[in-house]
Amino acid sequence: MTDLALQIGENIRKRRLEIGLSQDNLALTAEIDRSYIGRIERGSVNITIEMLYKISIPLQCDPKTLLPEADKRLVQ
Amino acid sequence: MTDLALQIGENIRKRRLEIGLSQDNLALTAEIDRSYIGRIERGSVNITIEMLYKISIPLQCDPKTLLPEADKRLVQ
């Protein structure tokens, strides 16, 4: 697990709870497997940018807002 | 190829040329295979967010600036 994946997972979870969406609903609307959403939120997978854009639609937010500030240590 | 991957590749290429970096130099400094950089810039691969952050370091820019504006059609 990288810090980057952990922070992205945390941001996705925070936004999902903010708009009162369950993991099931997010998985359904984003057409993603429910267990994969759980792994994303736990930061245990390194998602593609396409997946980020897909998830941002039901989360009703700009995908960039789900990304942490750039920091070299995030990818070391 | 998705529109999203094409636009990201274009943004990466534009930024690389802006700062006068060759594909070879970008590959070397980002510790990525040279041919993979070519595929990224042509939009033929769907990169991870981690790869985007890695590439943004030698490109000396915020990774978010390499991302296109959110648009549902980008991921359909």
Side-chain angles (χ1 to χ4, degrees), chain B residues 54-70:
Chain B
K54 251 189 189 175
I55 287 175
S56 70
I57 297 169
L59 288 179
Q60 302 156 34
C61 69
D62 182 332
K64 297 176 190 169
T65 61
L66 298 170
L67 294 178
E69 284 316 306

Side-chain angles (χ1 to χ4, degrees), chain B residues 8-27:
Chain B
I8 292 167
E10 218 174 280
N11 291 346
I12 288 172
R13 182 176 173 75
K14 213 172 82 187
R15 176 61 187 169
R16 178 174 63 75
L17 296 174
E18 230 169 59
I19 62 170
L21 207 59
S22 68
Q23 281 191 345
D24 283 338
N25 277 333
L26 176 56

Side-chain angles (χ1 to χ4, degrees), chain A residues 2 4 8 46-50 52-54 57 61-64 67-72 74-75, chain B residues 2 4 8 46-50 52-54 57 61-64 67-72 74-75:
Chain A
T2 63
L4 179 60
I8 291 167
N46 193 356
I47 63 172
T48 64
I49 297 171
E50 184 166 358
L52 180 76
Y53 273 62
K54 250 188 187 177
I57 296 169
C61 68
D62 182 331
K64 296 176 191 170
L67 295 179
E69 285 314 307
D71 177 339
K72 283 186 189 169
L74 283 176
V75 286
Chain B
T2 63
L4 179 60
I8 292 167
N46 193 356
I47 64 173
T48 63
I49 297 171
E50 184 167 0
L52 180 76
Y53 273 61
K54 251 189 189 175
I57 297 169
C61 69
D62 182 332
K64 297 176 190 169
L67 294 178
E69 284 316 306
D71 177 337
K72 282 185 188 168
L74 282 176
V75 286

Side-chain angles (χ1 to χ4, degrees), chain A residues 4-72:
Chain A
L4 179 60
L6 285 168
Q7 285 190 36
I8 291 167
E10 220 174 282
N11 291 345
I12 288 171
R13 181 176 174 77
K14 214 172 82 187
R15 176 60 185 168
R16 178 173 63 76
L17 296 175
E18 230 169 60
I19 61 170
L21 206 59
S22 67
Q23 280 191 346
D24 284 338
N25 277 333
L26 176 55
L28 208 65
T29 31
E31 294 171 7
I32 299 168
D33 185 77
R34 161 76 175 66
S35 65
Y36 193 59
I37 295 281
R39 289 172 59 215
I40 290 172
E41 290 193 353
R42 287 192 301 276
S44 61
V45 287
N46 193 356
I47 63 172
T48 64
I49 297 171
E50 184 166 358
M51 181 60 73
L52 180 76
Y53 273 62
K54 250 188 187 177
I55 288 175
S56 70
I57 296 169
L59 290 179
Q60 302 157 35
C61 68
D62 182 331
K64 296 176 191 170
T65 61
L66 298 169
L67 295 179
E69 285 314 307
D71 177 339
K72 283 186 189 169

Side-chain angles (χ1 to χ4, degrees), chain B residues 9 12-13 16-17 20-42 59:
Chain B
I12 288 172
R13 182 176 173 75
R16 178 174 63 75
L17 296 174
L21 207 59
S22 68
Q23 281 191 345
D24 283 338
N25 277 333
L26 176 56
L28 207 65
T29 31
E31 293 171 6
I32 300 167
D33 184 77
R34 159 80 172 64
S35 65
Y36 193 58
I37 294 282
R39 290 173 58 214
I40 290 171
E41 289 193 354
R42 286 191 303 275
L59 288 179

